[in-house]
Amino acid sequence: MKFTLSWLYDHLETQATLAEICATLNQIGLEVESVENKGAALAPFLTARILDAQPHPNADRLQVCRVDAGPGFSDVQVVCGAPNARKDLAVIFAPPGAYVPGLDVTIKAGKVRGELSGGMLCSLRELGIGEETSGIAELPADTLPGQSYPDFAGLDDVVIDIAITPNRGDALGVRGIARDLAAAGLGTLRPWLAETVEGTFASPVEWAITYPEACPWVLGRTIRGVKNGPSPEWLRNRLESVGLRSISTLVDITNYFCFDLGRPLHVFDAGKIAGGKLTLCRGAGETFRTLDGQECTVTAEDCVIADQNGVQSLAGIMGGEATGATESTTDVFVECALFDPVRVALSSRRLGLSSDSSYRFERGVDQALPVAALEAATRMIIELCGGQASEVVSAGQQPAWQRTATLRFNRVRDLGGLDVPADESVALLEKLGFEVRARTEEQVECAVPAWRNDVAQAPVLSQGKSLPADVAVQAAQGVATIEAESDLVEEVLRLKGLDAVPAVPLPPISVVPGASLTPAQGRFALARRVLAARGLTETVGFSFVSHEEAVHFGGAPESLRLLNPIASDLDQMRPTPLVNLVSAIRHNSVRGWGDIGLFEIGPAFAEAAQQTLAAGVRAGHTQRYPGVASNAVSLWAAKADALELLRQFGVNPDAITTTADAPAWYHPGRSGVLRQGPKNILAYFGELHPSVLQAADIDVPLVAFEVFVQNVPQPKKKKKSAPALSAFQPVRRDFAFVLAQDIPVESVLRAVRGADRQLVADVSLFDIYTGPHVVEGMRSVGVDVTLQPTEKSLTDAELEVVSERIVTAVGKATGGVLR
């Protein structure tokens, strides 16, 4: 809600400074978002008069002007290129040192084509406050030189913008804001009374209501013989200062009262209303054009205003183009109505239309104001546009808005923590317009003013169906009483100053806090720590990617295509976070950061379901060390990342098998799948397919992994005991087996582990060799076996026995022989 200080002073008599006004607004809950003083930036500019204007001797389109801009600039020579610069013209003068916002330049004295120029003559566009013109601004002929231009033009009026909470519809009018400030002790609220305008004839336009749920009461009157046109300067400046565009006098008057009193109005061109009657009714699928030129199709849930020709206005939201007031309008019909806030809000959202009127109706307007507002608008129309007013016509009746609320004085202390004397609480409520009905030592009963729709309204409860009827009624009454009292407590605390309310921490629920993360959430946090510790940097990407990128990572089904994407290149739900990670690698590599590791924990989308993945990529080369060469990243690094993550999740590495059936976006010969059992896939790893890298325009080595976090079973809870540590030295033996190239290495490792489960503590692959001394079609697989005795040290004979078991087990499982 924007308003100017001068507008506020129309309703508030105060000597408070701008700083005091802003501080008080914040204290009473009307938070100040910005304070704008357009005149401050234009303070150096002065009014001036051209004493003489002669053609420039060295330029055809320039003139040399002598300018009087008051004391200190009574006779200044200025070179000007405006075609309308002439003798005796009143102008705007920018002295040296003035910053011209429209040109983004600071004026300096100097020479222009050999002639001295001690300033600049400006247009309104150059000052940033007007439209494009063909010359400098022309001020009234009687303008005195040397005045501050912001003061002369009324630009020194400060604009204040405050944030309005949804329950404070009364603060969407300048008078409501002034009422709050006066109640807070910052001045006196000026009296406002709308003088009655007696009607001189019967209105040719009447009202009818067939949808009373949406509009219980409507008023109107015809004003004939009006002359519409541009608004007077004071009205135009007032509206433009708060961001409204001046349209015409009739329309500007309705906008003025919308902001001045928070009371929306609408004017119809009475000559365009067919049939002499306007009916508030349900829509029936009609389409009409609104005042802003949009085609709008209404439904049976929308309240419209219709004449004999059809829909002419969307009630409470926006009028129609067909009956809007124009410069040729001579007779108008003024509408002032009460509309249901919920139905206005639903129609606004359903039709995608919003206006200053709907914004106020949605939050509630003063239900006792329509008669006075119609009289005030009538008087202003007659004063500015002339004409004669008819008698007031209406339909429906004023709703029973009267409500009461009770405040127990000790509740201000108990709920707000601020001890306010009873007399002071009552005085503060009375300043806000609450009228005391009854009072005792413990409490006061107040009548709620018509403009406070947020106080003591009956709450909407969602009660259980099994609740007995009498209990439900009693509960609803209790809630209504408590809510109304809480509203009054808030009003007292607000006027005392929200910054005076002591800060009190909430009491702890228990001494020992409960778990804040579920096991699944805990895994995601663990995954972040593990991958970060392995040197990867976390990224966060959109769940939307381009359709073309998604095709390279498992396809892009139409069922996951976005019909209304936020951007043309974000039109597909991503099949894997690798899409974003590969894009990030490309983004970094083209900027010289090719050696990088990234990971993301986020959703992946498929037609069957959505799941969360921990995905990572490594690109470029390993770091160089003295004596150690830098190598391209390998698939073993990606496998190690995935295996470490699974191990941290509690998966036994011995229970994991590796297969070579990775999906199509991985290199077919340099990738794998980590499984637990034949069906449960835990992870993919390996180099990405060359076609994927080529499509992504990546020319550095790149490996990746994807861990399906949700596929990892939760580890069984076991009673922890002290680890069994052997006192004997472990023994390490290397074995090299020659076997067919199509035999998985995993089979060798599994056979070694099963040869002697008591002694074999660990087995790992350290070499794969093909070449001389190995038969074609075969390969040599080297494994490192750790034997850990627990009862005694192993003798040479016992080591030979164990070695024979290992060789026999591998031969039986794979057909391999000891090399």
Side-chain angles (χ1 to χ4, degrees), residues 309-365:
N309 290 336
V311 176
Q312 301 300 337
S313 176
L314 188 59
I317 301 177
M318 193 171 295
E321 187 178 76
T323 55
T326 63
E327 290 187 359
S328 60
T329 297
T330 57
D331 299 340
V332 296
F333 184 73
V334 186
E335 167 233 310
C336 183
L338 291 179
F339 297 111
D340 177 66
V342 174
R343 287 179 170 83
V344 170
L346 292 175
S347 292
S348 177
R349 285 152 181 76
R350 181 167 48 248
L351 300 173
L353 288 175
S354 182
S355 64
D356 291 323
S357 295
S358 66
Y359 190 78
R360 285 157 176 77
F361 279 122
E362 290 172 12
R363 287 153 179 79
V365 297

Side-chain angles (χ1 to χ4, degrees), residues 208 282 394 472 682 715:
R282 292 178 181 270
S394 65
L682 301 181

Side-chain angles (χ1 to χ4, degrees), residues 571-585:
D571 60 345
Q572 185 77 34
M573 304 302 289
R574 69 180 183 186
T576 170
L578 287 184
V579 183
N580 305 78
L581 294 174
V582 169
S583 178
I585 291 294

Side-chain angles (χ1 to χ4, degrees), residues 446-612:
C446 298
V448 180
W451 53 82
R452 290 306 299 269
N453 293 280
D454 58 314
V455 178
Q457 286 285 9
V460 178
L461 299 180
S462 178
Q463 297 177 319
K465 295 181 180 180
S466 60
L467 196 66
D470 58 335
V471 176
V473 172
Q474 185 178 3
Q477 292 174 347
V479 170
T481 301
I482 294 172
E483 289 284 345
E485 185 176 48
S486 300
D487 291 337
L488 295 185
V489 169
E490 181 182 358
E491 294 305 299
V492 173
L493 295 176
R494 207 167 54 81
L495 292 186
K496 287 293 292 182
L498 295 178
D499 54 348
V501 177
V504 179
L506 292 174
I509 298 176
S510 63
V511 177
V512 180
S516 59
L517 296 177
T518 64
Q521 292 171 330
R523 276 190 168 177
F524 298 142
L526 174 62
R528 288 184 173 91
R529 291 198 300 270
V530 171
L531 295 177
R534 294 185 63 82
L536 301 179
T537 301
E538 184 177 9
T539 67
V540 179
F542 282 124
S543 293
F544 315 123
V545 296
S546 72
H547 179 78
E548 292 73 16
E549 289 178 324
V551 168
H552 297 291
F553 290 87
E558 286 298 320
S559 60
L560 296 179
R561 194 85 174 263
L562 300 180
L563 298 178
N564 187 24
I566 59 176
S568 59
D569 58 345
L570 298 174
D571 60 345
Q572 185 77 34
M573 304 302 289
R574 69 180 183 186
T576 170
L578 287 184
V579 183
N580 305 78
L581 294 174
V582 169
S583 178
I585 291 294
R586 178 181 66 247
H587 185 82
N588 282 275
S589 64
V590 297
R591 287 163 175 79
W593 293 91
D595 301 338
I596 192 172
L598 306 173
F599 79 91
E600 179 180 350
I601 298 175
F605 301 88
E607 287 187 295
Q610 171 187 337
Q611 57 181 325
T612 303

Side-chain angles (χ1 to χ4, degrees), residues 1 15 63 120 191 205 207 230 347 376 386 452 464 489 510 553 568 574 604 613-614 619 624 693 751 755 766:
M1 171 64 188
Q15 299 297 321
Q63 297 187 73
M120 176 180 176
V205 181
W207 283 115
S347 292
R452 290 306 299 269
V489 169
S510 63
F553 290 87
S568 59
R574 69 180 183 186
L613 272 62
R624 293 187 298 175
L693 299 181
F766 72 85

